[in-house]
Amino acid sequence: MANTELKGAMRCLDCGKCTSACPVARFNLVLSPRRLIRQLGCGVDAGCGDALWSCLTCGRCDAVCPQEVPITAAMPLLRADVRAEGGKPPFTRCGAMESVATIQSQGPVPQNRLEWLTDDLRTDPESKTLLFIGCTPYFDKFFVEHDVDTLAAVKGAIRILNAMGIEPAVLADERCCGHDALWSGDEKTFSDLAHLNLEMFAKAAPDLIVTVCPECSLTLGRTYPERFEAPGCPVKHITEVVSEHYEELEFTARELTVTFQDPCRLGRHQDLYVEPREGLEMIPDLELREMPRNRAAAVCCAGSWLTCNQASKKIQSDRLAEAEATGAELMVTACPKCLIHFRCSQSGVGEEPGIEIRDFADLLAESLQ
Amino acid sequence: MNNSDFEPRIVVFACNWCSYAGADTAGVSRLQHSPKFRVIRTMCSGRVNSVHILKAFEMGADGVLVSGCHIGDCHYMFGNHWAIKQFDVTRDLLNMLGLEEARTRLEWVSAAEGPKWASLIDEFVTTIQQLGPSPLRGESTEESFGDREIDMEVNG
């Protein structure tokens, strides 16, 4: 365990706010952030068992901690330690998505990842604005049974950029950003993917990288500079781009009531609470109704490829019910993972609230004038 | 690499009830066929999901064959229907990763079809031999392919 994180753990006052706020601890007694941090502070080996893998790293604990103990940041390090000692994450679907990322990290891969591009989506390989697609084409193929359509967000982002007069570049040899590898403690795959992507950015030399997935913007924009090097230009999530360029975009009025699900990577990890709301309110007549737990208090979609159990389902159905109780017709999110995990939850036994879920960029592009 | 020097690494998943027995029939009938494959017995072709095939390619396989009971003959009634569904999803993922379609195959071989097994294996080995090493091989070596422990766990 790295020294700095241990020092952070020593600051813990044992107040237990983290565990009271933790969405997982509410339903899964195995995980208690307080216990984990106390064990670390006392030098007890906490890196074992299900507790470590059931954490969503959503950052809810960090947001309430009065001592600023870096609980979430300790997770990938603890997990890497466990994996170095031969421990294995209890991957959902046996780790198929991890395998896709690992294959991409191993060298040149002749990917066919742009087959969904149609002529009406204007792109330009010479453009200095790069749209980072992320794993969305793979998600749509893999989660075909849940009809997730995460590419709708990418297509929406291209339409929005086109409306701003930008024809973005999309790259065929883009790799997974490595977010999931990093957070599940797979340092090697993360580092290999990061270097391949950084090499690609150096070649393309963009002025701006836009992502539709907040995990990608977090990883490219914050983790790469911390761990390796910066991609050489700003990295922005599509919600930021929209709110900065509000003057260039015009939307048709829609009498629609929506609620916004703050993705953990967008909100708590990147402090982007205002931007998506500004974006939504640019649609005339649209009414945004907040859920009681919003912004820094928002509940995560309970999705990770590390665990999916009764606690995850309970978190999801509670959140869906909360969204439905606002009276909104739509729950808008800005992360493909939220879309996948909530849709999966809804396509289960049919008892989950059936509120429609849409991506931010998809909804905005549909409302463009 | 010259294709004639190339030793393909082929993984075959065969179901316990039909295809594995079919392979056995081919063996006891002394039907000559290529030995260049590694067979993994599963209880059902439906047990072979995306990750088994992806892992094989991740570890350096050049071809993967999944074989089960004929439709209607599945020991578990509908396992092979599930195999088709999962195989299609896996193939879509592999196609996106840039893998040629001929490197993966789903076939039905019954316990009595020894000759079919022998000719299927010969045909598949020839196809992979002609295609050469997999583009997804990475830096895996013959040793790492044979020895690497499979890091896989089943989770609900």
Side-chain angles (χ1 to χ4, degrees):
Chain A
M1 187 63 211
N3 231 352
T4 43
E5 266 66 39
L6 192 64
K7 273 184 202 152
M10 298 291 278
R11 287 202 297 267
C12 174
L13 297 174
D14 208 10
C15 71
K17 278 192 172 181
C18 47
T19 300
S20 344
C22 176
V24 178
R26 188 155 289 215
F27 305 114
N28 182 355
L29 300 182
V30 163
L31 178 66
S32 160
R34 167 166 69 170
R35 187 166 59 224
L36 203 69
I37 291 302
R38 288 298 283 172
Q39 283 173 331
L40 277 175
C42 302
V44 176
D45 185 11
C48 54
D50 290 341
L52 210 53
W53 304 115
S54 55
C55 169
L56 302 167
T57 65
C58 74
R60 183 78 187 95
C61 47
D62 291 350
V64 294
C65 179
Q67 287 294 90
E68 296 180 359
V69 177
I71 310 171
T72 310
M75 279 299 161
L77 300 162
L78 286 167
R79 287 170 179 176
D81 283 353
V82 171
R83 286 177 81 147
E85 285 162 20
K88 289 169 193 170
F91 284 129
T92 56
R93 297 183 182 242
C94 306
M97 286 321 294
E98 284 71 19
S99 192
V100 167
T102 311
I103 290 172
Q104 290 179 31
S105 76
Q106 286 178 343
V109 183
Q111 294 182 83
N112 302 308
R113 50 180 298 134
L114 297 176
E115 280 171 351
W116 47 270
L117 259 181
T118 46
D119 291 340
D120 57 319
L121 302 165
R122 297 194 308 276
T123 57
D124 172 11
E126 301 293 313
S127 173
K128 288 288 157 197
T129 303
L130 172 64
L131 182 68
F132 194 83
I133 310 293
C135 296
T136 47
Y138 289 99
F139 290 157
D140 284 9
K141 295 286 183 198
F142 190 58
F143 296 102
V144 67
E145 71 204 272
H146 300 315
D147 191 22
V148 289
D149 198 11
T150 55
L151 272 170
V154 180
K155 293 174 189 165
I158 298 180
R159 289 203 180 92
I160 293 169
L161 291 170
N162 286 169
M164 284 160 43
I166 299 170
E167 294 185 2
V170 284
L171 300 176
D173 57 351
E174 180 192 291
R175 313 295 165 98
C176 163
C177 68
H179 172 278
D180 292 338
L182 170 76
W183 288 90
S184 67
D186 185 353
E187 294 275 343
K188 184 181 182 303
T189 303
F190 171 63
S191 157
D192 289 351
L193 288 167
H195 285 105
L196 286 162
N197 276 325
L198 285 166
E199 224 173 85
M200 186 189 69
F201 296 148
K203 232 182 273 170
D207 295 335
L208 173 69
I209 300 174
V210 181
T211 80
V212 287
C213 175
E215 294 185 348
C216 295
S217 62
L218 174 71
T219 310
L220 304 184
R222 298 202 181 186
T223 322
Y224 283 9
E226 277 167 26
R227 302 287 293 271
F228 314 110
E229 54 180 306
C233 68
V235 180
K236 285 182 181 160
H237 187 260
I238 187 72
T239 52
E240 285 176 89
V241 179
V242 168
S243 78
E244 282 168 19
H245 293 263
Y246 65 95
E247 283 167 339
E248 295 158 45
L249 293 165
E250 276 186 53
F251 297 94
T252 37
R254 293 182 77 170
E255 279 189 24
L256 202 58
T257 321
V258 305
T259 184
F260 184 68
Q261 157 70 12
D262 287 273
C264 60
R265 260 59 186 163
L266 191 72
R268 284 187 293 267
H269 283 253
Q270 293 183 88
D271 283 319
L272 297 173
Y273 299 113
V274 180
E275 288 78 358
R277 291 178 168 80
E278 280 178 351
L280 287 171
E281 282 170 348
M282 278 157 64
I283 302 176
D285 295 346
L286 179 135
E287 187 195 338
L288 176 63
R289 282 193 200 158
E290 293 290 355
M291 285 185 259
R293 296 178 288 180
N294 63 56
R295 295 182 174 83
V299 181
C300 165
C301 67
S304 88
W305 306 149
L306 292 172
T307 37
C308 181
N309 51 27
Q310 297 94 318
S312 332
K313 293 292 165 206
K314 191 79 178 84
I315 297 168
Q316 285 156 355
S317 56
D318 276 12
R319 189 58 168 169
L320 288 168
E322 194 175 339
E324 213 163 60
T326 61
E329 299 153 64
L330 264 186
M331 176 162 97
V332 180
T333 180
C335 177
K337 292 275 182 75
C338 289
L339 204 69
I340 293 170
H341 294 297
F342 282 123
R343 287 254 172 98
C344 169
S345 171
Q346 287 178 327
S347 62
V349 285
E351 289 166 3
E352 310 302 334
I355 185 167
E356 196 190 334
I357 308 158
R358 287 285 290 276
D359 186 89
F360 172 88
D362 179 24
L363 178 71
L364 257 67
E366 190 192 76
S367 318
L368 277 170
Q369 228 168 39
Chain B
M1 194 189 284
N2 188 330
N3 269 7
S4 57
D5 307 335
F6 161 61
E7 279 281 319
R9 303 170 193 163
I10 295 170
V11 178
V12 179
F13 293 101
C15 84
N16 178 61
W17 304 100
C18 294
S19 296
Y20 198 80
D24 207 29
T25 308
V28 296
S29 317
R30 299 178 176 255
L31 297 172
Q32 286 295 318
H33 59 292
S34 173
K36 294 177 184 171
F37 64 98
R38 296 147 157 99
V39 69
I40 296 174
R41 183 169 60 110
T42 56
M43 286 311 283
C44 180
S45 56
R47 175 65 186 90
V48 183
N49 62 28
S50 299
V51 81
H52 298 109
I53 303 175
L54 286 164
K55 270 279 174 206
F57 285 108
E58 178 193 317
M59 291 166 71
D62 301 305
V64 174
L65 170 69
V66 181
S67 185
C69 307
H70 285 271
I71 294 295
D73 287 349
C74 177
H75 187 78
Y76 305 104
M77 311 302 278
F78 305 111
N80 43 14
H81 290 257
W82 184 232
I84 298 174
K85 259 183 142 176
Q86 295 183 101
F87 187 80
D88 288 349
V89 167
T90 315
R91 214 180 219 184
D92 281 347
L93 289 177
L94 287 166
N95 170 41
M96 199 168 275
L97 284 164
L99 194 82
E100 301 94 331
E101 204 163 290
R103 290 190 190 273
T104 48
R105 225 167 133 172
L106 177 63
E107 290 288 342
W108 315 130
V109 176
S110 82
E113 290 175 322
K116 183 177 176 185
W117 175 267
S119 63
L120 171 67
I121 292 291
D122 275 338
E123 202 186 305
F124 193 58
V125 171
T126 312
T127 309
I128 303 300
Q129 191 91 46
Q130 281 163 356
L131 283 168
S134 154
L136 310 183
R137 248 187 187 206
E139 285 162 7
S140 72
T141 60
E142 188 56 40
E143 289 74 42
S144 69
F145 182 63
D147 295 344
R148 213 176 105 182
E149 191 191 337
I150 301 182
D151 184 5
M152 200 184 293
E153 239 167 66
V154 181
N155 185 251

